[in-house]
């Protein structure tokens, strides 16, 4: 068993806001992240896949395929988008990095299984200081 | 003459959009950067100041002062904000990185002159691949 | 279960020195790290916390709280300090990165438990080539 | 139990090519990585070792020893070399990052056991976007 | 006048070798860089362009165009190639980073002039420690 | 004319302290940087050299020579040292990054001239946010 990782990037706007709360509650919990006009980040997404090495290729899975899957199903839907408004799989959900990591896992898990490999980790880097990892 | 540099960071949303153009023109020129719901970035701002070394301190200018000036007059007005909507000194201007760099220069130039030093360069890093530098 | 990480930084002096050994022994084992006048590093501390996502906030734990805990109880006591002389929780201990990581774990574990989350890992980066991770 | 990590670097040429396949098959699977004249990378190798902290030194294992082992047995044989041609332990094997990580593990495992510590992970970074991790 | 920069990357093999010299001379001057089986690097290319800000767009030049020019005329000819063998504009020249930077300048200068902007600098990063800059 | 750059690193302790001042004055100006027990940093030193490309080698100057000069005359005297106590060329001077950059320039200028090249810039990075550049 060996692990391969692919990093992809996307730039998105978002806002942390719970519609069931008052504005004062949102401001208290989310502070400047609740700005109603949005702010944004350059996100880095690192996807880890595990599997056996195919002796014919030396690969767990061709990184060209992994890159294509991530771009087609995830980053093309997030890059230069607003996470609260533009992204179908985030609709009605809190636009936190934690929730986004779980949703990305849910999208990628079966796509990667199609390649005889197993999704192991979805890592999101929101800034150079804040990161999230989800292992299913 | 020696140069000192201070890096500060801010996370902001923006949109590239010329209100004098049709949506089709905006889409053609700005592509996905024209998304009307905004996208965002982690910006890094590197401010370069030049001057003589003060023999009493070994400093051109105390970096504590430079940091405070940048935070008070620039990054506190940009961090977790929307460059098109929330920022007084960007009102009515294109929210490009080039224009933002010029406006930051205009704010900082006289503040730094108060410290017997000279603003030399405003550098903005929008992503890990796109940068702007302005020297006045 | 999901993992969040916060990076904080501190700059400190230290020396690797075992007072029960002769100087020759210290020099042999620790080499230039034994310099009696100290040397120093920019340390990066990455704290990983695990827990369930709170559906109200989208958070495992508010990063504002995690940042405050780390700064109040750890980095404010280490930044611009001498690890061998100035730091109460390092007194009488070897000032190695390994030992420092364990001591930081001991400080943070209960503080994070107060927030309904669990400390998972303390990572210290001493240079761009040398790192330590402690999982309790 | 605590984990220490050492990063070393090497610059090497390689080619992904299966000699049992036709050129067309190689081109289809490996694309531009199959270029018969080779391409190359700056690889970063991060070796993780685990063990107990020695109370006399504060160390799991002296990083001077870990660095020397890695350089003597691994990176000196890879740096400024061609992975397909110059490296004895890669002879007859696919020159993929996955296979290289496994071979490096096989070399280092017993060398590190000599120091009363245990090899935990071999991580190879091929570009800023592609990584492999092997845990034995 | 303002400066914009675009970073692109390519991975290539090369060898430092002067065919007018003996092997002993090549080994003496170029050391392990003369390895006849090649070695390689992940190169980063940073292109700086200067010009006036167009008030309609906020741009010196659309980075989409700059990116396309660099990829079409430069990095597509270098990525996953051998600088000594595969690259028409390096034929018969020393495959050093200095010479490569000059050749890239010669290719880009007129292409960028077509966009009412001026090429200012070609920067090549060969490793994390070795860089070249050419200003024409 | 083309520019080459070499990055070297050193880890050192220091203190900002003017012996002609009272402790209160030192604390007021230098804050926590005045800690009498010292603190420290991982410094990065980037040396820029300019010259013509030698057509025989493709080099301005062999980076092996530049690296050796920097290590022999500068970083070996600074690495794992205390800038206030251990470094002959800093004796009696303020241990600021600005002053250190000037002293490094003074050491390197003539050494590099011996290689038919010209020292252009000494850059010191003290943390990921604070930098100094000196051009003579």
């Amino acid at each position: 068993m060996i692990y391969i990782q692919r990093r992809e990037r996307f730039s998105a706007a978002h806002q942390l806001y719970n519609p069931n709360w008052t504005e004062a509650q949102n401001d208290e919990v989310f502070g400047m992240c609740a700005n109603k006009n949005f702010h944004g980040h350059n996100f880095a997404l690192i996807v880890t896949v595990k599997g056996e090495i195919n002796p014919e290729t030396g690969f767990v899975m061709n990184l060209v395929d992994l890159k294509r899957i991530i771009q087609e199903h995830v980053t093309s839907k997030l890059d230069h988008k607003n996470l609260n408004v533009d992204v179908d799989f985030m609709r009605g959900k809190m636009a936190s990095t934690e929730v986004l990591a779980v949703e990305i896992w849910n999208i990628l898990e079966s796509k990667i299984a199609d390649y005889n490999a197993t999704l192991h980790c979805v890592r999101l880097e929101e800034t150079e200081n804040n990161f999230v990892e989800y292992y299913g």
Side-chain angles (χ1 to χ4, degrees), chain A:
Chain A
M1 187 74 76
I2 196 165
Y3 300 75
I4 60 170
Q5 301 184 313
R6 175 72 192 173
R7 188 181 76 118
E8 293 289 331
R9 296 173 301 110
F10 58 95
S11 295
H14 78 146
Q15 167 200 39
L16 296 179
Y17 188 82
N18 184 332
N20 301 321
W21 290 355
T22 64
E23 266 193 52
Q25 280 177 299
N26 274 288
D27 286 348
E28 193 193 327
V29 172
F30 297 121
M32 62 187 183
C33 297
N35 177 13
K36 69 179 191 300
N37 296 321
F38 308 105
H39 65 284
H41 300 288
N42 302 323
F43 290 87
L45 165 64
I46 296 101
V47 175
T48 308
V49 167
K50 65 184 171 187
E52 301 291 337
I53 299 178
N54 178 334
E56 298 284 305
T57 59
F59 289 163
V60 167
M61 172 182 173
N62 198 324
L63 277 170
V64 172
D65 294 320
L66 181 53
K67 177 183 174 177
R68 189 182 35 73
I69 290 171
I70 299 171
Q71 289 182 347
E72 183 179 334
H73 299 286
V74 178
T75 53
S76 67
K77 298 183 174 179
L78 297 171
D79 192 30
H80 284 73
K81 303 294 187 197
N82 184 314
L83 302 182
N84 298 78
V85 181
D86 295 324
V87 183
D88 55 0
F89 61 81
M90 290 297 287
R91 200 138 299 156
K93 306 198 176 76
M94 293 300 296
S96 72
T97 312
E98 288 93 327
V99 170
L100 182 56
V102 172
E103 294 305 316
I104 292 172
W105 175 282
N106 290 339
I107 290 168
L108 290 178
E109 192 175 22
S110 65
K111 308 289 181 207
I112 284 164
D114 291 346
Y115 284 81
N116 204 25
T118 305
L119 180 60
H120 176 68
C121 180
V122 167
R123 176 180 172 89
L124 275 175
E125 303 183 344
E126 191 188 62
T127 68
E128 68 187 40
N129 295 322
N130 297 342
F131 322 120
V132 164
E133 290 185 351
Y134 184 60
Y135 294 83

